[in-house]
Amino acid sequence: MGAAMTKLNLLVALALVFGFADKTLAEDAHAVKPPKQMKWSWDGPFGQFDRQQLQRGYQVYKEVCASCHSMHLVSFRNLSQPGGPEFSEAQMKAIAAGVQINTLDDKGEAFDDKGVALQRPGTAADRFPSPFSNELAARAANNNAYPPDLSVITKARPDGSNYVYSLLTGYSDPPAKFELLPGLYYNAHFPNHQIAMPQPLATDDQVTYAPNAGNPAATIDQMAKDVTAFLTWAGEPKMEERKQMGVKVIIFLVLLAALLYTAYRQLWKDVDH
Amino acid sequence: MAHSIDNANVTRRDFIYVASATAAGVGLAASLWPFIDQMNPAADTLALKEVEFDLSPLVEGQIVTIEWQKKPVFIRRRTAAEIKAAEDVPLDQLRDPQADKDRVQKPEWLILVAVCTHLGCVPDKNNKGEFGGWLCACHGSQYDTSGRIRKGPAPKNLAVPPYLYLTDTKVLIGAEPKPAAVVAEHG
Amino acid sequence: MAHGNYSYKPTNAFMKWLDSRLPIVRLVDESVLKFPTPKNLNMWFTFGGILTFMLAVQIVSGIVLAMHYVPHETQAFDSVERIMRDVNYGWLLRYMHSNGASMFFIAVYLHIFRGLYYGSFKAPREVLWLLGIVIYLLMMATGFLGYTLPWGQMSFWGATVITNFFSAIPLVGESITQWLWGSFAVDNTTLQRFFSLHYLLPFVIAGVVVLHIWALHVPGNNNPLGIDVKGPQDTVPFHPYYTTKDGFWIALFLIVFAYFIFFNPNFLGHADNYVPANRLVTPAHIVPEWYYLPLYAILRSVPDKLIGVILMISAILIWALLPWLDTSRVRSNNFRPIMKQLFWILIVVIFLLGYLGAQTADDSNLVFFGAELPIGKLLLSQLLTFYYFAHFLVITPIVGLWETPNPVPESISKAVLAKKNGGAVPVAAE
């Protein structure tokens, strides 16, 4: 988000004020390449999410990210709540019903007679199911790397939205002489430039967007933007409500301050102070 | 000093003082609401206000207990004899008179909140008591095959939760029945 | 009460009856509403009111957050996120509380610097000043304990680093640290006791605040001129004069607070704290909350563990000696041409220490507008730390004796009248 960048700017400004800057940042060849600075629909005090973009972003998450990454803080019902992708109630329930959730039977058993986990179709109240039952299973399936939960990923990285977008579009061949460890991939935006995640968005049209509704072409860049939007929303699902309330609160406080200032001047005009 | 206390009292009546005090008061009052509303059920709690249940695995005479809104609910597939017993009771013999047909949408399926109306215990699913329904072991209240109070200290029948048949074998407990569906059942 | 010739008179039979049994209305009337307050207080004197307001905000929002928060290592992080996502207005209450802590510290630092500048710590207000230091220390503890609760990476590692300060104590250090943790390292036991203490300490703060205000009411407020109130002509009743004026400044302060809550709620936090605590991995760059940064720089300036901790604690405790280290007869720096400059130098030093506290822990040189300075971060920290202590221990006593202060006005009322008429300020006879 813009917030983190503002913070970086502020730090840079402070550094300039004091006349100091950390030279290690500039000179280390292995230093992380700073995220590309993008313009997002949710930037600024009036910025909002683009519903269609969030819906497309969900599709990318579901078809690409969700095969390895959990998102355990988000529920299906969130998909139709105000300020989010705003799928219709019926669409959301259909999405939920398309997922199998582990469950218990009447006697509290989690497995049937043959030891198979009991499952039921998802409901609105269910959280997004995780692709692996635990961290060991996740590591075993991913070359011992643990795919982090994506629920708050854009808040858990500095300049998170720009970082996620930059990472997704930041894969390239390593520069000459760069020693890439086996099983890792080159990505300039990742610490040490070596990441265990293979390029997740590798070809255009990897995800097929619905042809109607004015959806753009599913280029790698577009899919990266869309899923970044979705992850940003998932990390801060009350952002729109927060900003809308904020505008009202600030207007009220400015009026209140003006009134109190007038009262204060009125009251003190006969007092020498 | 120019200002006596009386003088201050007079000036305080001025419009600007009243307006500032009012604005501050309104702001304070409005900001109290989030502190109150946070105690209401949260979104994840409200998301569980309806529970879907598949009736098809139940055999005749079987009773299962499921959880709905943090309370136990009995779902009982009644036998023909149990239905007849429930329907045949004269209403004037009942402490809380209510016809069986007003307590079920389909006679075969009895759905009840499993909380004894005496002091909140859960009646025993395995002890049908003298009236073929339930015995509440805590204080000996006895319910019949319609979940109506027949004997013991409880004042009221077991409550019927709102529910809606999604299909012939699926109910959504907690949802208000659609008027059309109710008419179709009883009409 | 200073110069209080006003006394409360019950207006009706009931009030008379109540007054003879519980004189609470009298207390409020005499020590709040009619409290004689110097009429020349400027905006820097409003932070007491702002801090009282913020303490109330933090306590009330904290109490409601505790209704939803789960102090358990497996659930703490998710319970905070549940507050953010599912609890009604939970996001508002949580951001109010987390940003409120920062706003509280901004206000307390301005309050302290104001006290330093205008000599509010000098006789007869030494006890008032000492109680203020106690409040500040309690705030530091409360802020630290609270930052642990979301159980993110910064929570966990912050708690680990800070509790390890105690391991610097010779002989018993390890035992004390284990006692604090209740375990072999920071874990669930630690989290639960931190939650309990985080809930307790704000009420202790509130108690000491009562003492602080009591100690204020004996000598009365200091003021920008730093001279004593000579009589009723120098004061106005607190209400409505200062309630209105403080109200205006509180409203302005709230605008800044609201900006952070609604438009930049994570600006003052750290991204790593949205990563759940992981005892196997320390974040690459671990920094404390901004309000501890100068102290953190002092800690790191010494390569010796025990001395570092002692210096860091002394950096605050040294304030307690200030009323006796300052040898000047004049309170306000307005009349102390040299001390005024030194005050601003001290502020710059503290800011620089804060800047260094946020830097990575290596001894690289600093770059000044593109040119590398021949001074490492470590050496600079050491020089600044040295100056910080020298300011209090050496400079303040010497300058107080050596400096010739400018003439101090005879009284507040005469000074303000002269300012208004543009005439010369009548000067107190020496």
Side-chain angles (χ1 to χ4, degrees):
Chain A
M1 279 209 295
M5 198 50 214
T6 324
K7 185 169 180 174
L8 203 66
N9 285 337
L10 187 85
L11 285 177
V12 171
L14 277 175
L16 286 176
V17 167
F18 295 123
F20 301 108
D22 195 328
K23 85 180 174 98
T24 52
L25 276 181
E27 290 181 6
D28 188 353
H30 282 260
V32 184
K33 197 173 162 191
K36 298 168 203 164
Q37 295 304 303
M38 304 295 291
K39 284 234 173 299
W40 300 108
S41 69
W42 58 87
D43 288 340
F46 302 100
Q48 307 232 326
F49 293 113
D50 171 346
R51 313 276 161 239
Q52 291 304 314
Q53 184 174 40
L54 291 185
Q55 297 195 0
R56 294 194 302 270
Y58 171 70
Q59 194 185 348
V60 177
Y61 157 75
K62 172 104 192 295
E63 294 179 19
V64 182
C65 318
S67 52
C68 298
H69 290 274
S70 62
M71 207 166 176
H72 79 289
L73 294 170
V74 183
S75 302
F76 290 107
R77 65 191 153 82
N78 298 138
L79 293 174
S80 61
Q81 80 192 14
E86 297 188 3
F87 284 105
S88 72
E89 193 83 5
Q91 283 173 317
M92 178 271 289
K93 284 186 172 163
I95 289 171
V99 171
Q100 288 295 310
I101 306 280
N102 289 344
T103 188
L104 304 177
D105 68 8
D106 192 28
K107 297 179 198 73
E109 300 286 342
F111 302 96
D112 68 9
D113 297 342
K114 298 185 178 68
V116 177
L118 294 168
Q119 292 196 310
R120 59 169 173 77
T123 66
D126 286 313
R127 306 266 183 114
F128 286 7
S130 301
F132 302 105
S133 51
N134 55 59
E135 183 175 336
L136 286 177
R139 286 191 185 277
N142 288 286
N143 196 17
N144 203 34
Y146 182 48
D149 186 88
L150 296 182
S151 309
V152 287
I153 197 74
T154 55
K155 289 200 287 186
R157 300 288 181 275
D159 199 11
S161 301
N162 287 326
Y163 169 79
V164 168
Y165 168 78
S166 302
L167 191 80
L168 290 175
T169 55
Y171 285 84
S172 67
D173 292 328
K177 288 184 187 167
F178 189 92
E179 282 185 41
L180 199 60
L181 293 170
L184 298 181
Y185 303 86
Y186 186 82
N187 192 320
H189 293 282
F190 196 73
N192 292 326
H193 299 186
Q194 309 194 57
I195 186 167
M197 172 169 71
Q199 186 172 0
L201 299 171
T203 57
D204 291 346
D205 294 316
Q206 192 173 334
V207 170
T208 311
Y209 288 157
N212 51 350
N215 279 339
T219 59
I220 291 177
D221 187 68
Q222 187 63 43
M223 290 186 291
K225 282 178 182 154
D226 293 348
V227 79
T228 299
F230 176 73
L231 293 174
T232 305
W233 164 77
E236 190 76 4
K238 299 297 175 76
M239 186 208 74
E240 291 190 8
E241 184 186 351
R242 166 160 65 75
K243 288 181 177 175
Q244 284 156 9
M245 189 187 289
V247 170
K248 290 179 206 148
V249 168
I250 298 260
I251 290 173
F252 170 80
L253 285 173
V254 167
L255 290 175
L256 178 66
L259 271 174
L260 284 165
Y261 182 74
T262 321
Y264 150 65
R265 292 305 296 253
Q266 176 83 11
L267 188 65
W268 281 76
K269 72 176 191 293
D270 298 327
V271 184
D272 301 318
H273 61 282
Chain B
M1 206 195 77
H3 283 248
S4 70
I5 285 136
D6 288 341
N7 202 346
N9 277 333
V10 173
T11 53
R12 236 178 301 161
R13 281 185 216 117
D14 286 1
F15 167 75
I16 193 70
Y17 303 142
V18 177
S20 333
T22 310
V26 167
L28 195 66
S31 52
L32 283 181
W33 176 242
F35 292 88
I36 296 165
D37 193 35
Q38 53 86 21
M39 281 173 73
N40 277 319
D44 57 339
T45 308
L46 291 176
L48 294 171
K49 70 171 193 271
E50 295 172 359
V51 169
E52 213 177 284
F53 186 76
D54 183 4
L55 299 169
S56 53
L58 268 68
V59 296
E60 268 194 19
Q62 192 180 355
I63 306 170
V64 296
T65 313
I66 63 164
E67 197 178 307
W68 168 72
Q69 294 189 355
K70 314 274 169 174
K71 290 176 290 228
V73 164
F74 288 142
I75 298 179
R76 179 167 182 167
R77 184 167 185 177
R78 298 192 293 185
T79 61
E82 285 168 347
I83 297 170
K84 187 162 186 336
E87 285 174 346
D88 287 351
V89 180
L91 290 191
D92 54 11
Q93 285 188 14
L94 297 173
R95 183 176 303 165
D96 180 12
Q98 202 178 14
D100 186 62
K101 71 174 168 58
D102 295 332
R103 296 176 54 78
V104 290
Q105 289 179 29
K106 294 181 181 182
E108 198 178 357
W109 302 101
L110 179 64
I111 302 176
L112 299 168
V113 176
V115 176
C116 179
T117 58
H118 179 220
L119 292 169
C121 295
V122 178
D124 190 347
K125 192 164 76 168
N126 301 316
N127 189 337
K128 294 187 171 159
E130 293 170 33
F131 298 90
W134 289 270
L135 169 76
C136 180
C138 285
H139 306 96
S141 294
Q142 306 227 21
Y143 296 92
D144 67 10
T145 55
S146 189
R148 291 171 298 200
I149 181 65
R150 300 298 290 276
K151 194 175 175 184
K156 297 232 174 241
N157 303 333
L158 292 177
V160 179
Y163 60 93
L164 164 71
Y165 277 93
L166 295 172
T167 68
D168 273 352
T169 57
K170 245 185 199 172
V171 282
L172 187 62
I173 299 168
E176 289 303 324
K178 291 198 179 90
V182 177
V183 172
E185 269 315 310
H186 294 282
Chain C
M1 199 193 308
H3 314 284
N5 49 11
Y6 166 81
S7 79
Y8 168 73
K9 300 210 176 32
T11 47
N12 59 44
F14 172 74
M15 296 306 261
K16 216 171 269 175
W17 179 86
L18 182 67
D19 191 53
S20 59
R21 285 157 180 82
L22 179 71
I24 188 167
V25 182
R26 174 183 297 274
L27 180 78
V28 171
D29 195 65
E30 290 181 358
S31 40
V32 180
L33 300 181
K34 300 298 184 303
F35 184 68
T37 311
K39 56 195 204 178
N40 61 335
L41 300 188
N42 58 27
M43 64 160 282
W44 301 106
F45 286 78
T46 62
F47 286 98
I50 288 172
L51 284 163
T52 313
F53 179 83
M54 286 310 298
L55 179 63
V57 168
Q58 289 304 88
I59 288 182
V60 174
S61 58
I63 286 172
V64 299
L65 287 171
M67 294 181 186
H68 304 282
Y69 171 73
V70 183
H72 191 278
E73 61 178 353
T74 58
Q75 294 170 65
F77 187 91
D78 285 2
S79 76
V80 171
E81 277 301 317
R82 180 176 172 269
I83 291 171
M84 296 288 293
R85 288 155 191 271
D86 289 333
V87 172
N88 300 322
Y89 295 104
W91 59 269
L92 173 62
L93 299 166
R94 194 263 172 143
Y95 279 151
M96 192 184 283
H97 198 70
S98 61
N99 286 290
S102 281
M103 299 306 290
F104 206 152
F105 274 97
I106 290 174
V108 89
Y109 281 126
L110 292 171
H111 192 63
I112 293 169
F113 290 152
R114 187 271 293 155
L116 280 177
Y117 186 87
Y118 292 117
S120 302
F121 53 88
K122 290 167 77 75
R125 297 186 182 83
E126 302 95 322
V127 173
L128 173 62
W129 174 255
L130 294 176
L131 287 166
I133 296 173
V134 172
I135 293 171
Y136 175 67
L137 289 171
L138 287 168
M139 278 176 66
M140 302 264 281
T142 311
F144 156 67
L145 294 168
Y147 196 57
T148 308
L149 303 186
W151 210 240
Q153 274 289 66
M154 280 295 169
S155 299
F156 182 86
W157 292 101
T160 299
V161 168
I162 305 267
T163 48
N164 265 310
F165 289 167
F166 293 90
S167 70
I169 303 170
L171 300 175
V172 291
E174 291 296 329
S175 318
I176 291 180
T177 330
Q178 284 214 347
W179 173 76
L180 282 173
W181 292 333
S183 180
F184 308 111
V186 173
D187 77 353
N188 184 56
T189 324
T190 324
L191 174 61
Q192 293 193 356
R193 61 189 59 184
F194 278 17
F195 176 59
S196 171
L197 293 170
H198 181 70
Y199 206 123
L200 167 72
L201 286 188
F203 296 97
V204 179
I205 292 178
V208 184
V209 165
V210 170
L211 298 180
H212 190 65
I213 295 175
W214 186 6
L216 168 73
H217 276 55
V218 178
N221 291 74
N222 186 28
N223 64 82
L225 297 173
I227 55 176
D228 290 335
V229 167
K230 297 283 185 333
Q233 73 280 6
D234 288 347
T235 66
V236 289
F238 188 80
H239 178 76
Y241 291 95
Y242 281 106
T243 43
T244 315
K245 191 173 178 177
D246 282 0
F248 165 63
W249 286 106
I250 288 176
L252 285 192
F253 189 79
L254 281 179
I255 292 174
V256 181
F257 188 16
Y259 163 75
F260 282 117
I261 294 177
F262 293 107
F263 299 112
N264 223 340
N266 293 307
F267 177 76
L268 297 162
H270 198 292
D272 275 314
N273 224 24
Y274 281 104
V275 180
N278 179 353
R279 65 179 73 255
L280 303 180
V281 183
T282 310
H285 184 198
I286 148 162
V287 286
E289 290 279 79
W290 68 265
Y291 35 84
Y292 304 126
L293 287 175
L295 292 167
Y296 193 56
I298 291 175
L299 171 83
R300 290 196 306 192
S301 71
V302 191
D304 182 273
K305 185 172 172 178
L306 180 60
I307 297 176
V309 173
I310 290 175
L311 274 186
M312 187 187 68
I313 296 167
S314 312
I316 298 168
L317 293 185
I318 201 168
W319 298 351
L321 300 176
L322 195 55
W324 296 278
L325 288 171
D326 189 337
T327 48
S328 174
R329 284 173 297 111
V330 174
R331 288 196 194 105
S332 172
N333 275 346
N334 277 354
F335 305 103
R336 302 185 59 189
I338 295 169
M339 200 61 199
K340 188 194 279 183
Q341 311 295 327
L342 292 169
F343 169 84
W344 289 111
I345 290 172
L346 179 70
I347 299 294
V348 170
V349 165
I350 291 172
F351 268 89
L352 282 174
L353 281 169
Y355 171 75
L356 287 167
Q359 298 307 301
T360 47
D362 58 66
D363 189 26
S364 55
N365 286 4
L366 288 161
V367 175
F368 186 76
F369 289 109
E372 189 174 324
L373 285 189
I375 184 164
K377 285 188 283 195
L378 185 63
L379 181 60
L380 187 65
S381 307
Q382 287 168 347
L383 291 174
L384 293 170
T385 302
F386 179 79
Y387 182 85
Y388 178 89
F389 284 98
H391 173 91
F392 293 104
L393 291 172
V394 182
I395 297 174
T396 300
I398 292 177
V399 170
L401 295 172
W402 166 68
E403 176 187 48
T404 312
N406 293 337
V408 172
E410 193 181 319
S411 75
I412 294 171
S413 52
K414 289 191 175 153
V416 296
L417 211 61
K419 192 174 101 187
K420 189 183 166 199
N421 300 333
V425 178
V427 167
E430 283 294 313

